[in-house]
Amino acid sequence: MDLWYSESHTENVKFSLKIKNHLFSNKSSFQKVDVFETYEFGNLMTLDGLVMVTEKDEFIYHDMIVHPAMAVNPKTKNVLVIGGGDGGTVRELMKYPSIEHVDMVEIDKMVVDVAREYFPSVSCELNNEKVTVLYEDGVEFVKNKKNLYDLILIDSTDPIGPGEGLFTTEFYTNCFNALTDQGILVNQNETPIYDEFFKVGISSNRKLKKMFPIVEVYQASIPTYPGGYWLFNFASKNLNPKTDLKEEEWESLNIKTKYYNPTLHVGSFGIPTYVKEKLADGTI
Ligand code: SAM
């Protein structure tokens, strides 16, 4: 009998992957964690039944949450990652010798343990001496932090369960205060393909615009994420991702990437008209 994993993207749309083995299943105090071995995408981790990371396409998401900001400010030294328990975001950050320290604040230790066991190529830099992994709630962690980080990456789940507080004006304000003058914040901003997801994206984008002078949206195609098309917010105190790209300086660092490059960077900020319009007028 064939085994299939399925995720409903809407009540009328389902995404399914054929399964070889169900490798891990357990419930933490925050969420249900499962790992499946799939035929097409390698190992797959789900949280509360939703796709988080697959071995085959994780490189796209992790390249795009890290490198656009690093190519705009290659002199970044101190970074805060909120969430990111699979370790892929930290792996990409550790490719930059300029980075002196990364705090990764992940609420659920089970996710990190499972990533170490079943996703070694993703979690491979979590023991790096420049990295501190803190098992705390990111919402609480950023409170009362002032002028500490050059870059904050919110690599979170959707705004349900533990991730809910990571999409609030209060949280974004605390992040703004925790950033240095050249500070940049990047968060995953859902897909515009399905209204229920895009409502979250539009709301998050609007909240960031209340405090950051520069907020731009960029895109990437991620096959296992809803709609296969994903957006990110680039919120910045000073540096503009469209006009402050340090292409030559970034190229001179010889950072090995599988998805990101400076030409793609420029294109990724060229978002479709319907997305621009809906973000501008805030209507679905
Ligand atoms: N790339 C994935 C996505 O876009 O869906 C996210 C991957 S990462 C595994 C998401 C992580 O955020 C999870 O490990 C989850 O435990 C963590 N998380 C959720 N809410 C959190 C919070 N309030 N503080 C810290 N980490 C949180």
Side-chain angles (χ1 to χ4, degrees):
M1 190 186 66
D2 289 345
L3 262 186
W4 289 81
Y5 156 80
S6 286
E7 178 181 338
S8 295
H9 289 164
T10 74
E11 62 182 329
N12 306 312
V13 179
K14 245 189 193 165
F15 172 76
S16 300
L17 296 174
K18 195 172 175 185
I19 302 290
K20 262 188 209 160
N21 291 304
H22 192 172
L23 300 170
F24 177 90
S25 185
N26 202 344
K27 210 168 176 336
S28 74
S29 37
F30 302 100
Q31 53 213 341
K32 185 164 184 293
V33 183
D34 287 276
V35 179
F36 303 93
E37 184 187 4
T38 73
Y39 283 90
E40 185 60 45
F41 283 85
N43 285 356
L44 155 71
M45 185 197 304
T46 65
L47 297 180
D48 287 338
L50 305 177
V51 170
M52 282 301 122
V53 62
T54 81
E55 286 178 311
K56 181 169 180 173
D57 68 355
E58 59 83 12
F59 71 97
I60 303 170
Y61 176 88
H62 291 124
D63 267 24
M64 292 308 277
I65 198 167
V66 170
H67 299 299
M70 289 304 298
V72 169
N73 186 5
K75 295 192 175 44
T76 294
K77 291 188 173 48
N78 288 303
V79 184
L80 171 61
V81 176
I82 303 270
D86 51 62
T89 298
V90 162
R91 180 196 62 204
E92 294 309 305
L93 287 167
M94 285 300 100
K95 292 180 178 177
Y96 292 86
S98 67
I99 292 180
E100 292 174 1
H101 191 76
V102 176
D103 285 328
M104 186 183 99
V105 179
E106 165 56 61
I107 201 167
D108 193 343
K109 185 175 182 302
M110 185 182 286
V111 174
V112 176
D113 295 344
V114 162
R116 288 182 198 279
E117 170 94 20
Y118 298 99
F119 297 83
S121 63
V122 184
S123 59
C124 51
E125 289 287 357
L126 288 178
N127 293 339
N128 188 302
E129 62 191 10
K130 288 183 175 181
V131 178
T132 301
V133 178
L134 302 126
Y135 298 112
E136 293 180 32
D137 182 348
V139 175
E140 295 306 315
F141 181 84
V142 289
K143 287 181 179 168
N144 311 317
K145 296 271 183 318
K146 296 273 177 284
N147 199 25
L148 275 181
Y149 298 102
D150 304 306
L151 179 60
I152 296 179
L153 301 175
I154 307 171
D155 180 4
S156 75
T157 42
D158 299 328
I160 34 179
E164 200 167 349
L166 302 175
F167 292 78
T168 63
T169 299
E170 187 203 350
F171 172 70
Y172 294 147
T173 306
N174 291 331
C175 288
F176 182 91
N177 297 333
L179 285 165
T180 57
D181 292 349
Q182 297 286 75
I184 295 170
L185 176 149
V186 171
N187 73 338
Q188 57 100 353
N189 201 47
E190 312 284 329
T191 180
I193 301 293
Y194 302 122
D195 291 354
E196 288 316 303
F197 289 88
F198 202 23
K199 279 182 192 159
V200 174
I202 289 172
S203 147
S204 168
N205 180 266
R206 307 202 117 223
K207 287 172 185 163
L208 288 166
K209 282 176 177 159
K210 282 195 197 133
M211 63 215 62
F212 285 90
I214 298 165
V215 179
E216 295 287 351
V217 172
Y218 61 101
Q219 63 206 334
S221 64
I222 305 176
T224 58
Y225 282 11
Y229 176 56
W230 212 243
L231 300 175
F232 298 84
N233 283 310
F234 187 113
S236 175
K237 288 188 171 184
N238 205 322
L239 298 164
N240 187 311
K242 292 182 174 177
T243 53
D244 294 314
L245 172 62
K246 315 279 184 316
E247 179 164 355
E248 277 169 34
E249 189 176 342
W250 188 83
E251 295 283 15
S252 71
L253 297 172
N254 291 318
I255 305 285
K256 186 102 191 58
T257 56
K258 267 179 79 178
Y259 188 86
Y260 178 84
N261 61 64
T263 309
L264 177 134
H265 176 114
V266 175
S268 72
F269 285 91
I271 56 175
T273 305
Y274 82 97
V275 175
K276 253 196 214 160
E277 288 173 354
K278 287 185 177 184
L279 287 168
D281 61 31
T283 57
I284 279 289

